[in-house]
Amino acid sequence: MKQTDTITDYHVHVYFDDATFDQARAFCEAARDTFDVPMGHMHPRPVGPHPMGSCQLSVTPAKFAELLPWAALNRDGLIVFAHPSTGDHLADHRDHAIWLGTGLDLDLSIFG
């Protein structure tokens, strides 16, 4: 069994399109302010493996236990993709993924 002490943090990616940009920004800002977590840029186009616009929240394991239920109740239709950071980027995005809403296809080819 894998041990959770390999998790350094979690990345929570909030997906949006033109119609949901403002909603996603408000969600991310609320998460940032409520949980005191860093909020990344609002990328309007796909970045890395992500298939659409997204914003990343970086969350400690302790705060993730609080943020995930909050996100489930407050995402209001937004798609949220979360994964642990263990150093194995492919497995983190493919095998350890957590989806709130409809899961999307990621471009995993960037991980070799």
Side-chain angles (χ1 to χ4, degrees), residues 45-68:
R45 303 283 178 259
V47 173
H50 306 289
M52 57 190 301
S54 65
C55 179
Q56 176 181 302
L57 303 165
S58 297
V59 185
T60 66
K63 287 191 181 184
F64 184 72
E66 299 173 26
L67 187 141
L68 189 65

Side-chain angles (χ1 to χ4, degrees), residues 6 19 25 28-29 82 93 112:
T6 62
R25 182 178 57 214
C28 290
E29 289 172 349
H93 287 78

Side-chain angles (χ1 to χ4, degrees), residues 77-97:
L78 292 170
I79 297 171
V80 178
F81 167 66
H83 64 83
S85 296
T86 66
D88 184 340
H89 300 296
L90 178 60
D92 290 343
H93 287 78
R94 182 188 63 204
D95 304 330
H96 309 142

Side-chain angles (χ1 to χ4, degrees), residues 7-84:
I7 299 171
T8 58
D9 67 348
Y10 286 85
H11 292 169
V12 177
H13 304 275
V14 179
Y15 292 130
F16 58 86
D17 56 20
D18 291 341
T20 57
F21 178 88
D22 291 335
Q23 177 190 355
R25 182 178 57 214
F27 175 90
C28 290
E29 289 172 349
R32 177 196 65 201
D33 297 345
T34 301
F35 298 99
D36 191 29
V37 297
M39 176 182 155
H41 297 287
M42 298 290 294
H43 296 284
R45 303 283 178 259
V47 173
H50 306 289
M52 57 190 301
S54 65
C55 179
Q56 176 181 302
L57 303 165
S58 297
V59 185
T60 66
K63 287 191 181 184
F64 184 72
E66 299 173 26
L67 187 141
L68 189 65
W70 178 90
L73 295 178
N74 291 288
R75 68 184 183 83
D76 194 26
L78 292 170
I79 297 171
V80 178
F81 167 66
H83 64 83

